[in-house]
């Protein structure tokens, strides 16, 4: 009996010691990334400015979505405009290069940018499904082709090595109801295991909310009649007076995601894996509100005031209404890896299948391009429905080959080379609805567009170790691009339908980088290279409407080109300290944007996709990190972007103005704590004002459709109740700042969640 107790005690002690040793080894092992070189590489030796956000840190930070996980990284600005569910973030910039279609977003190497416009949808991705996020800044067309002008964001998953089960549930709401995301509910469950050579992972996540009213309804043609009260005088950011008369109601909805992954080790050196990620969601506005009252205090939804020779001053109930958005997409990934002697081969097939991107528009006469007499009401009435199914087919064959030359220097090269293929196809159809609340009440076709494009690329990179401290990277890529089947039809409009000729082009993307590790504390790195982006199907063939604009495509757009260089140093002053400083410049040619045409349709300005000749971006990234003992970490970073238009013959007024959607100054500071049963963080973010127009005329802040400067603070504290369970409380916008990012942004809110893992 004593012997048995001794054996049990010994085994328990050995287990505790081994766990402590493994934890220490994990802390001392160098951090490895794959995105910067397409091969495993230590962060300190990677030839780029990069940031890695690991799952362990995500549990400390107050983040609920992928885009929130990236918003305190130096050089990265990402903001979800509507702040609700899976609405695409209209503003993402990496190193001052704006828009989602100039920054490549991937999941395990498969492009997440959608086939039509390069949109990204990060709100439906659950952080718990992934291991880390790698953000590599600077042009990377030499390795990844188009859409990598600003940088690459790679969201990376792993398969479990042992049995694991997770369940999480949470609820949150605003402190002042109606001013933030009300009744946010989340639930998540996952299970994974490894059985011999086979491992698998599956998860399901659901979230829903009641939202808040972030979209006002207004009339811009004149002040409401004298006998009506309740309106609020305001303006657009360009100074034009408007009168706010109500809102569209709470923006609410739900989103689900499902993930399944399988992996099988065929041999020690050969593996195969397959994954499916599916996201589907729906969002809409509930009952609208009118602020107007007649002399008796009754709500006012409409009026008509003639004012010849000017157009009449009109308000209709239909102006208060907004439709529903429904999306459904699936990402498939099949991966095969093998190593034969020194040659490593990786074959990847991917499919981005957007089965549905549907939104409805209640008719409001000419304002929504319906017939003048067609006006919806709260209970129903005429409307339109748009749907955009689309697909991206992706294939990539990559080889890694060590080469030994037997020389004193320039020995032990690593060649990375391969082929890639992408084909995108998308179409949009718009139909009339007899009832805007019922998508099955479809009747006549009113608009249709479609198009296809494909790109074939070959690439090679040579990693050249000049010495133990100095490594060169020399790479190049050549891409062939073709677009075809371009078509657009505005039914019953003169000049339509239009069929567009096929076009093709090619681009050569060279790049040179170096990493010089001066000492264990100091590393210098730099690069110079070119990048490109071919116009998207949306920019070429599609016309669409936003709350403020009507935008036309342009099938004659030229591809964008970029030439860039950077130089940086990373240094450690003392134990637990890390400082990094980077300077960069990026010269853009034939930059694609939506140009003001000077025409007005109703309250909307007409914009057309166009090329401006030249733009220049230069900037500085500075980051500082310090560990304060074992539990605390302080970090801060500052980014300065000088992003200017240098030449634009189509709109000369924009010369010297800032590029839209790029903040000049970004500042982040945070404190993180992780010891024992308590972990938490408090992080503040500052963003200077951005402009939404090329002439920077939208100067005014604090009004609907402005892009304000803001300083917000988020906080989170977690308590490990037992070995496998955690209770967390987080507060967003801790100091209750009010600001607009086109739409009104959420005020202070809280979220309480519980997780159990074993």
């Amino acid at each position: 009996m004593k012997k048995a107790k001794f054996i049990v005690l010994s085994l328990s002690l050995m287990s505790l010691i081994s766990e402590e040793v493994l934890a220490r080894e994990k802390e001392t092992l160098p951090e490895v990334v794959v995105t910067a070189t397409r091969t495993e590489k230590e962060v300190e030796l990677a030839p780029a400015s990069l940031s890695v956000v690991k799952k362990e840190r995500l549990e400390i930070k107050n983040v609920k979505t992928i885009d929130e996980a990236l918003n305190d990284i130096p050089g990265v600005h990402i903001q979800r405009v509507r702040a609700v569910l899976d609405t695409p973030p209209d503003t993402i910039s990496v190193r001052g290069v704006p828009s989602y279609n100039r920054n490549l977003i991937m999941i395990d190497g498969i492009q997440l940018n959608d086939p039509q416009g390069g949109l990204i949808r990060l709100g439906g991705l659950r952080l718990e499904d992934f291991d880390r996020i790698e953000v590599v800044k600077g042009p990377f067309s030499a390795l990844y082709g188009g859409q990598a002008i600003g940088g690459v964001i790679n969201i990376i998953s792993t398969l479990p090595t042992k049995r694991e089960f997770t369940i999480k549930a949470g609820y949150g709401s605003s402190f002042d109801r109606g001013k933030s995301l009300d009744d946010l509910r989340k639930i998540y469950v996952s299970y994974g295991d490894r059985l011999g050579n086979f491992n698998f992972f599956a998860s399901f996540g659901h979230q829903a909310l009641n939202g808040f009213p972030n979209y006002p309804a207004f009339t811009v043609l004149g002040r409401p009649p004298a006998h009506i009260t309740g309106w609020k005088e305001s303006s657009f950011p360009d100074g034009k007076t408007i009168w706010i008369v109500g809102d569209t109601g709470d923006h609410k909805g739900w989103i689900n995601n499902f993930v399944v992954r399988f992996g099988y080790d065929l041999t020690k050196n050969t593996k195969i894996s397959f994954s499916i990620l599916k996201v589907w969601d729906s969002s809409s506005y509930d009952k609208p509100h009118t602020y107007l009252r007649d002399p008796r205090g009754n709500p006012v939804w409409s009026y008509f005031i003639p004012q010849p020779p000017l157009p009449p001053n009109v308000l209709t109930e239909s102006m208060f209404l907004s439709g529903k958005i429904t999306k459904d997409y699936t990402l498939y990934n099949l991966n095969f890896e093998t190593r034969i002697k020194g040659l490593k081969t990786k074959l990847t097939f991917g499919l981005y299948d957007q089965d549905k991107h549907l939104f409805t528009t209640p008719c409001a006469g000419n304002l929504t391009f319906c017939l003048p007499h067609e006006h919806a009401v709260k209970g129903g009435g005429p409307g339109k429905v748009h749907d955009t199914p689309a697909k991206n087919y992706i294939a990539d064959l990559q080889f890694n080959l060590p080469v030994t030359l037997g020389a004193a220097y320039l020995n032990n090269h690593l060649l990375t080379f391969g082929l890639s293929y992408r084909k995108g196809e998308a179409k949009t159809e718009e139909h009339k609805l007899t009832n805007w609340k019922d998508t099955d009440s479809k009747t006549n076709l009113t608009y249709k567009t479609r198009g296809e494009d494909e790109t074939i690329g070959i690439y090679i990179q040579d990693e050249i170790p000049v010495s133990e401290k100095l490594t060169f990277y020399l790479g190049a890529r050549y891409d062939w691009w073709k677009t075809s089947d371009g078509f657009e039809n505005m039914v019953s409009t003169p000049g339509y339908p239009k069929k567009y000729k096929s076009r093709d082009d090619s681009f050569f993307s060279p790049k040179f980088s170096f990493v010089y590790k001066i000492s264990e504390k100091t590393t210098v790195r730099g690069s110079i290279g070119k990048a490109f982006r071919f116009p998207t199907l949306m920019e070429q063939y599609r016309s669409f409407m936003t709350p403020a604009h009507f935008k036309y495509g342009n099938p004659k757009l030229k591809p964008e080109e970029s030439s860039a260089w950077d130089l940086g140093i990373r240094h450690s002053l003392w134990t637990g300290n890390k400082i990094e400083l980077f300077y960069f410049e990026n010269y853009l040619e034939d930059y694609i944007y939506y140009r003001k045409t000077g025409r007005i349709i109703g309250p909307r300005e007409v914009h057309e996709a166009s090329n401006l000749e030249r733009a220049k971006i230069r900037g500085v990234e500075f980051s500082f990190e310090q560990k304060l003992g074992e539990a605390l970490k302080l970090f801060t970073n500052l980014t300065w972007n000088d992003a200017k238009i240098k030449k634009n013959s189509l709109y000369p007024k924009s010369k010297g103005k800032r590029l839209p959607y790029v903040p000049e100054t970004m500042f982040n500071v945070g404190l993180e704590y992780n010891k024992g049963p308590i972990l938490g963080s408090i992080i503040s973010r500052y963003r200077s004002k951005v402009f939404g127009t090329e002439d920077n005329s939208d100067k005014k802040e604090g009004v609907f459709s402005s892009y304000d400067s803001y300083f917000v603070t988020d906080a989170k504290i977690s308590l490990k109740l037992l070995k496998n369970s955690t209770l967390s409380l987080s507060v967003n916008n801790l100091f209750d700042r009010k600001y607009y990012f086109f739409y009104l942004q959420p005020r202070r809110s809280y979220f309480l969640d519980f997780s159990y893992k074993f």
Side-chain angles (χ1 to χ4, degrees):
M1 191 70 173
K2 289 182 179 180
K3 187 175 181 180
K5 289 182 178 180
F6 175 76
I7 292 173
V8 171
L9 182 62
S10 300
L11 290 173
S12 301
L13 183 61
M14 289 174 64
S15 175
L16 290 172
I17 293 173
S18 63
E19 286 182 7
E20 184 177 351
V21 169
L22 287 171
R24 289 179 180 176
E25 285 182 353
K26 189 174 181 180
E27 289 179 359
T28 57
L29 284 174
E31 192 172 17
V32 174
V33 294
V34 296
T35 310
T37 60
R38 280 182 171 249
T39 60
E40 291 187 352
K41 184 64 57 181
E42 293 180 25
V43 169
E44 292 296 327
L45 301 178
S49 170
L50 59 88
S51 301
V52 182
V53 185
K54 295 188 289 187
K55 180 179 287 188
E56 294 83 359
R57 185 162 181 251
L58 294 176
E59 293 177 353
I60 297 174
K61 293 174 58 179
N62 177 10
V63 296
K64 303 175 189 66
T65 58
I66 295 290
D67 44 319
E68 289 179 347
L70 304 175
N71 59 17
D72 61 5
I73 293 176
V76 176
H77 169 55
I78 184 166
Q79 177 88 28
R80 193 176 304 171
V81 175
R82 295 196 191 187
V84 175
L85 299 175
D86 208 19
T87 303
D90 287 347
T91 53
I92 175 173
S93 69
V94 179
R95 282 196 165 173
V97 178
S99 186
Y100 33 72
N101 51 32
R102 295 183 185 90
N103 296 284
L104 181 62
I105 317 295
M106 302 188 296
I107 294 181
D108 294 327
I110 297 296
Q111 179 176 317
L112 190 62
N113 304 73
D114 86 351
Q116 188 179 66
L119 299 171
I120 54 172
R121 297 182 176 90
L122 300 177
L125 307 180
R126 293 300 298 252
L127 298 167
E128 297 86 354
D129 289 330
F130 302 99
D131 179 65
R132 66 189 188 277
I133 308 169
E134 297 180 1
V135 181
V136 187
K137 289 161 277 188
F140 269 85
S141 287
L143 283 178
Y144 295 103
Q147 292 186 310
I149 292 179
V152 177
I153 298 172
N154 196 9
I155 305 163
I156 297 173
S157 65
T158 57
L159 284 164
T161 57
K162 61 180 181 179
R163 183 170 299 169
E164 56 183 41
F165 174 79
T166 300
I167 183 168
K168 298 183 74 172
Y171 172 85
S173 197
S174 61
F175 283 86
D176 190 355
R177 195 166 184 86
K179 292 188 176 181
S180 187
L181 305 180
D182 287 321
D183 303 319
L184 174 60
R185 295 95 66 195
K186 289 191 174 188
I187 187 167
Y188 171 85
V189 60
S190 70
Y191 178 74
D193 204 349
R194 182 175 179 92
L195 305 171
N197 292 338
F198 176 73
N199 46 8
F200 66 92
F201 173 86
S203 74
F204 174 77
H206 168 78
Q207 53 185 308
L209 53 81
N210 286 334
F212 74 111
N214 60 2
Y215 182 14
F218 52 84
T219 174
V220 297
L221 297 180
R223 177 174 171 167
H227 67 282
I228 291 178
T229 60
W231 46 266
K232 302 174 186 178
E233 184 173 329
S234 185
S235 71
F236 279 133
D238 62 3
K240 184 186 300 181
T241 302
I242 60 173
W243 288 266
I244 298 177
V245 298
D247 62 63
T248 55
D250 290 348
H251 190 187
K252 63 180 186 178
W254 56 266
I255 185 167
N256 296 330
N257 81 309
F258 171 72
V259 173
V260 60
R261 301 189 187 104
F262 302 98
Y264 188 75
D265 298 343
L266 298 171
T267 67
K268 181 181 179 181
N269 296 318
T270 304
K271 301 178 181 180
I272 189 169
S273 61
F274 176 69
S275 68
I276 300 174
L277 184 153
K278 183 176 179 63
V279 177
W280 65 106
D281 68 80
S282 178
S283 66
S284 60
Y285 292 84
D286 67 1
K287 296 179 181 179
H289 308 107
T290 178
Y291 306 154
L292 304 181
R293 295 293 182 269
D294 65 16
R296 295 183 178 181
N298 298 315
V300 175
W301 293 93
S302 62
Y303 54 74
F304 182 91
I305 308 296
Q307 45 184 21
L310 299 175
N313 184 3
V314 177
L315 179 70
T316 64
E317 184 177 314
S318 58
M319 294 179 182
F320 292 84
L321 307 178
S322 189
K324 180 173 68 173
I325 301 175
T326 303
K327 298 185 291 294
D328 185 340
Y329 73 88
T330 309
L331 191 69
Y332 302 89
N333 186 349
L334 176 63
N335 186 276
F336 174 81
E337 294 184 29
T338 188
R339 185 186 297 274
I340 302 175
K341 294 185 178 180
L343 179 65
K344 182 178 180 180
T345 303
K346 182 177 180 180
L347 178 61
T348 302
F349 295 102
L351 170 62
Y352 177 99
D353 185 1
Q354 181 173 283
D355 183 60
K356 181 188 298 182
H357 184 189
L358 180 148
F359 64 94
T360 58
T361 305
C363 276
N366 293 331
L367 295 179
T368 52
F369 297 93
C370 296
L371 296 176
H373 66 277
E374 292 182 322
H375 286 270
V377 294
K378 294 190 291 292
K384 293 183 178 182
V385 59
H386 310 68
D387 193 13
T388 304
K391 288 183 172 63
N392 250 346
Y393 301 91
I394 297 166
D396 190 274
L397 177 61
Q398 176 182 322
F399 301 96
N400 301 110
L401 179 64
V403 178
T404 302
L405 301 178
Y409 298 97
L410 304 177
N411 196 12
N412 298 325
H413 293 227
L414 177 61
L415 288 177
T416 300
F417 56 97
L419 304 167
S420 67
Y421 174 79
R422 185 197 67 84
K423 180 181 179 180
E425 56 185 44
K427 66 177 181 179
T428 297
E429 290 188 354
E430 175 191 273
H431 290 80
K432 283 189 173 184
L433 294 174
T434 57
N435 181 358
W436 69 274
K437 305 187 81 171
D438 180 10
T439 55
D440 291 329
S441 64
K442 252 184 346 185
T443 58
N444 299 341
L445 177 73
T446 56
Y447 177 78
K448 184 175 182 178
T449 182
R450 66 171 182 263
E452 296 181 358
D453 66 351
E454 57 184 333
T455 307
I456 301 173
I458 57 172
Y459 59 90
I460 185 169
Q461 177 181 267
D462 189 6
E463 180 181 332
I464 309 169
V466 179
S467 67
E468 290 185 0
K469 295 185 176 182
L470 178 63
T471 304
F472 289 159
Y473 293 83
L474 185 62
R477 179 178 174 123
Y478 199 88
D479 285 271
W480 292 268
W481 170 77
K482 182 180 180 180
T483 181
S484 59
D485 198 30
F487 174 85
E488 187 176 28
N489 185 17
M490 294 186 182
V491 178
S492 301
T493 301
Y496 289 90
K498 295 180 179 179
K499 292 185 178 180
Y500 302 107
K501 293 181 180 179
S502 298
R503 300 169 56 207
D504 59 81
D505 210 330
S506 60
F507 198 86
F508 177 65
S509 309
K511 188 170 185 181
F512 169 76
S513 305
F514 76 91
V515 179
Y516 183 33
K517 192 168 184 178
I518 298 174
S519 66
E520 289 299 319
K521 291 187 175 183
T522 308
T523 303
V524 177
R525 69 196 83 208
S527 65
I528 184 169
K530 298 193 70 176
F532 72 96
R533 182 178 76 89
F534 296 121
T536 66
L537 297 174
M538 176 179 284
E539 291 167 333
Q540 294 178 90
Y541 305 131
R542 185 177 174 186
S543 302
F544 60 98
M545 183 176 62
T546 72
H549 307 112
F550 188 80
K551 298 188 177 184
Y552 283 96
N554 182 353
K556 298 181 180 179
L557 289 171
K558 299 176 184 177
E560 293 180 345
E561 299 184 20
S562 165
S563 300
W565 68 274
D566 66 11
L567 183 64
I569 182 170
R570 178 178 289 186
H571 180 67
S572 175
L573 294 172
W574 46 71
T575 302
N577 170 263
K578 183 172 65 177
I579 297 176
E580 189 165 32
L581 178 66
F582 257 93
Y583 177 81
F584 57 88
E585 290 190 358
N586 198 328
Y587 300 85
L588 300 172
E589 297 182 12
D590 295 320
Y591 178 90
I592 299 172
Y593 79 111
Y594 284 92
R595 171 182 60 89
K596 286 184 176 182
T597 64
R599 292 192 295 140
I600 302 290
I601 300 179
R604 295 178 176 86
E605 293 181 331
V606 176
H607 291 192
E608 181 183 33
S610 306
N611 292 104
L612 63 83
E613 287 92 337
R614 290 197 303 272
K616 179 183 177 181
I617 303 168
R618 57 176 181 156
V620 176
E621 297 168 358
F622 170 77
S623 61
F624 174 90
E625 183 180 302
Q626 179 64 56
K627 292 183 178 179
L628 306 172
E630 295 182 359
L632 279 173
K633 183 175 77 172
L634 170 70
F635 75 91
T636 184
N637 56 69
L638 174 68
T639 303
W640 173 71
N641 289 308
D642 182 29
K644 298 284 184 64
I645 296 171
K646 293 300 182 182
K647 184 179 180 182
N648 186 6
S649 300
L650 292 174
Y651 195 71
K653 284 178 62 176
S654 65
K655 182 179 178 181
K657 304 298 184 181
R658 294 191 57 80
L659 281 177
Y661 310 117
V662 179
E664 183 177 31
T665 306
M666 301 187 293
F667 174 71
N668 306 299
V669 60
L671 189 65
E672 299 176 358
Y673 181 88
N674 186 1
K675 187 176 182 180
I678 300 175
L679 60 156
S681 65
I682 182 167
I683 299 173
S684 297
R685 295 174 286 115
Y686 169 77
R687 299 292 183 269
S688 62
K689 176 179 175 53
V690 303
F691 295 99
T693 59
E694 69 271 32
D695 59 2
N696 297 176
S697 60
D698 52 331
K699 299 180 184 299
K700 189 170 183 178
E701 297 190 34
V703 296
F704 174 66
S705 76
S706 67
Y707 296 92
D708 298 349
S709 59
Y710 61 88
F711 184 86
V712 296
T713 301
D714 301 327
K716 179 180 180 180
I717 185 168
S718 299
L719 177 64
K720 296 180 180 178
L721 302 175
L722 300 170
K723 182 179 179 181
N724 299 318
S725 60
T726 304
L727 182 67
S728 300
L729 172 66
S730 58
V731 179
N732 286 71
N733 198 350
L734 182 64
F735 300 111
D736 201 28
R737 303 296 189 191
K738 180 182 179 181
Y739 67 102
Y740 286 83
F741 211 84
F742 196 92
Y743 295 91
L744 181 64
Q745 296 300 294
R747 302 284 285 273
R748 182 165 50 209
S749 63
Y750 69 91
F751 188 77
L752 184 69
D753 73 290
F754 174 81
S755 65
Y756 182 77
K757 303 177 182 179
F758 70 87

